[in-house]
Amino acid sequence: MPEWFLAIDGGVLLWIQETLRCAVCNGILSVYTKLGDAGMLWIALSVLMLCFRKTRKAGLASLLAMLLGLLCTNVALKHLVGRARPWLSVEGLVPLVEEHDPNSFPSGHTCAAFAAASAWCRTLPRRWMKVTAVVLAALMGFSRLYVGVHFPSDVLAGMAVGLLCGWLACLLWRQVPAWRRLEPPCQRD
């Protein structure tokens, strides 16, 4: 990547560290970002949605979207790109949480959050549920920047991959007749 781009990417993280970090937010966002480890928050919400007929499609679609996102980010892209975590290249950056995966691009946490949110926005029955999904996903992306474990471009790429996977999961849903039988009659096309 061009040097000027890397300087901007790192500069944003230093600005967040110097300007926005405070003791209360450090604790809250550190816990929130850890809820996204292995997609657990999104998987738990999706499994909960499977328990209710009106949200069953949303739960299944988001699980499929997150699986596609996992394959794209953690299995393929992170290893192909091999970008190091920001604290290894941005002088003065102090991460608030420990990350064991040395690869940074794209953000798997952000991908999972936006894959789930994208699927939910296409399938949940209530507007407030859709808005909440987007807010929670955006907060996950921001938390990855706040705790200093991803560059802004990592988060943007994770968001793009997640949105694409959510769309693709819903597209695939329409192509499999057996899955469509799981929907309540009022939600079928």
Side-chain angles (χ1 to χ4, degrees), residues 42-175:
W42 318 112
I43 292 169
L45 291 172
S46 297
V47 169
L48 181 63
M49 289 178 190
L50 295 176
C51 298
F52 305 97
R53 190 158 172 80
K54 287 188 175 193
T55 59
R56 192 166 296 144
K57 177 181 178 180
L60 287 168
S62 61
L63 290 170
L64 177 59
M66 287 185 284
L67 176 62
L68 294 172
L70 172 74
L71 294 173
C72 289
T73 57
N74 293 47
V75 174
L77 290 172
K78 280 193 182 226
H79 301 290
L80 288 172
V81 175
R83 184 181 196 186
R85 295 284 177 172
W87 67 84
L88 298 171
S89 60
V90 178
E91 192 174 324
L93 183 65
V94 179
L96 297 180
V97 297
E98 218 176 288
E99 278 296 329
H100 301 291
D101 180 359
N103 296 318
S104 181
F105 183 90
S107 168
H109 282 66
T110 306
C111 177
F114 276 93
S118 178
W120 292 339
C121 283
R122 290 171 169 76
T123 55
L124 284 173
R126 302 272 187 250
R127 180 176 162 80
W128 69 267
M129 294 174 173
K130 298 172 185 189
V131 170
T132 301
V134 171
V135 169
L136 290 174
L139 186 59
M140 182 56 70
F142 176 72
S143 77
R144 303 305 285 167
L145 300 174
Y146 187 91
V147 300
V149 295
H150 279 292
F151 290 100
S153 56
D154 299 341
V155 169
L156 289 173
M159 180 181 75
V161 171
L163 290 172
L164 179 64
C165 290
W167 171 79
L168 186 57
C170 290
L171 185 67
L172 288 171
W173 181 275
R174 291 188 198 123
Q175 303 307 313

